[in-house]
Amino acid sequence: MPDDPAHQTAPGAARTTDGPEHSRGLRLAGTAVHLYTASGSVLGLLIVLAAFDGAVETALWLILATLFIDGTDGMLARRFRVKETIPWFDGARMDDIVDYLTYVFAPIVLLWTTDRLPGGALGWVLAALPLLASCYQFCRVDAKTEDHYFLGFPSYWNVVAFYAIVLDVGTAGVGIALAVLTVLVFVPVKYVYPSRTKLLRGVNLGLAAVWLVAFAVLIVQYPDPHPVVVAVSLVYLAYYFGVSIWLTVAGTRRRSASAERVERAG
């Protein structure tokens, strides 16, 4: 999923004028942030090339690099106020393009080249499902909610590809995962946005950092990952899905209770 609306141009915004708050240095910093985001597109190409070359570990390291960039570019964009300093450039759209390449397209190519998908027509269908579902999701205006959650499974196909390879999941398991997660793209569960969801933000960021470290360790250990490291990484995934479902259910109950109170008062 696109990481951050901090890049996005405000509707009707005019070009900036020179001033202390929009110094040349600040604009250059904003440009550097956009270039940092755009570099993910090059990494997406390198993932695809590594996949076709059979360089699986290289592809996984590149996926980790794209995760790091996507997890930090939004914070940098807010820090250097890119919406204010370069309002004519739609960084959010660029972020969507880069994320589709690195979170969706390149990982599916990697699954294909590592024979993680069934052969024949079924393999083609399973490869197409995430591509089509994510096209739909990336074009939804409410894909990221106003209170900073992802609506529907946030197209983490790079994570799916990572675990399929590192844990040596067979074609049946990968196929089931792709089918189930594709359906979840359309189910309105609000998934935690680690860098922006306010509730439990410190915990979410801390656990996400631990997970990224585990991700790197598992690549180093590939193809024989240590069970403890695998468990640590999977605990985070269980936490992520669990807390997202819990917050969605709790929010639904609060809205229902509020609506009942309004109805009674009326």
Side-chain angles (χ1 to χ4, degrees):
M1 279 294 289
D3 175 65
D4 214 305
H7 290 286
Q8 193 168 15
T9 305
R15 290 177 182 268
T16 57
T17 57
D18 291 333
E21 70 275 24
H22 297 141
S23 66
R24 177 175 297 178
L26 196 58
R27 290 197 296 273
L28 287 174
T31 301
V33 172
H34 285 319
L35 182 60
Y36 178 62
T37 300
S39 68
S41 64
V42 179
L43 294 181
L45 172 62
L46 294 177
I47 293 170
V48 171
L49 295 177
F52 280 110
D53 286 342
V56 175
E57 292 180 54
T58 299
L60 295 179
W61 281 116
L62 291 168
I63 286 176
L64 178 59
T66 62
L67 284 168
F68 181 82
I69 290 172
D70 188 51
T72 55
D73 63 350
M75 291 183 284
L76 291 172
R78 290 190 293 276
R79 167 65 178 81
F80 293 106
R81 298 155 54 194
V82 298
K83 284 170 60 176
E84 301 172 35
T85 59
I86 317 177
W88 50 268
F89 187 85
D90 193 343
R93 179 174 297 175
M94 179 177 66
D95 198 61
D96 283 347
I97 294 170
V98 173
D99 283 349
Y100 188 84
L101 290 172
T102 58
Y103 276 60
V104 186
F105 185 78
I108 297 303
V109 171
L110 183 58
L111 287 174
W112 185 274
T113 59
T114 53
D115 297 323
R116 301 290 165 177
L117 296 173
L122 179 59
W124 283 100
V125 170
L126 289 172
L129 288 178
L131 299 176
L132 296 173
S134 293
C135 278
Y136 164 82
Q137 185 180 50
F138 273 64
C139 292
R140 286 195 59 152
V141 296
D142 60 350
K144 286 193 292 285
T145 66
E146 293 183 359
D147 51 350
H148 306 305
Y149 289 86
F150 296 119
L151 189 63
F153 173 69
S155 293
Y156 288 141
W157 305 110
N158 47 0
V159 177
V160 174
F162 170 75
Y163 281 104
I165 292 169
V166 169
L167 301 184
D168 194 22
V169 180
T171 57
V174 173
I176 291 171
L178 292 179
V180 170
L181 293 173
T182 294
V183 172
L184 291 180
V185 168
F186 302 92
V187 178
V189 171
K190 294 171 67 174
Y191 290 85
V192 169
Y193 192 155
S195 65
R196 302 211 69 191
T197 300
K198 293 181 179 180
L199 191 62
L200 302 175
R201 185 170 183 268
V203 175
N204 294 332
L205 285 174
L207 291 178
V210 171
W211 179 76
L212 286 174
V213 171
F215 191 115
V217 173
L218 287 172
I219 299 175
V220 172
Q221 294 177 339
Y222 178 80
D224 298 307
H226 195 285
V228 172
V229 183
V230 172
V232 169
S233 68
L234 292 178
V235 163
Y236 172 72
L237 295 189
Y239 165 82
Y240 181 84
F241 278 95
V243 75
S244 296
I245 293 171
W246 171 65
L247 291 174
T248 300
V249 172
T252 301
R253 288 177 176 173
R254 284 196 300 270
R255 288 191 296 272
S256 297
S258 177
E260 288 179 6
R261 286 195 295 270
V262 170
E263 186 177 348
R264 289 172 183 172

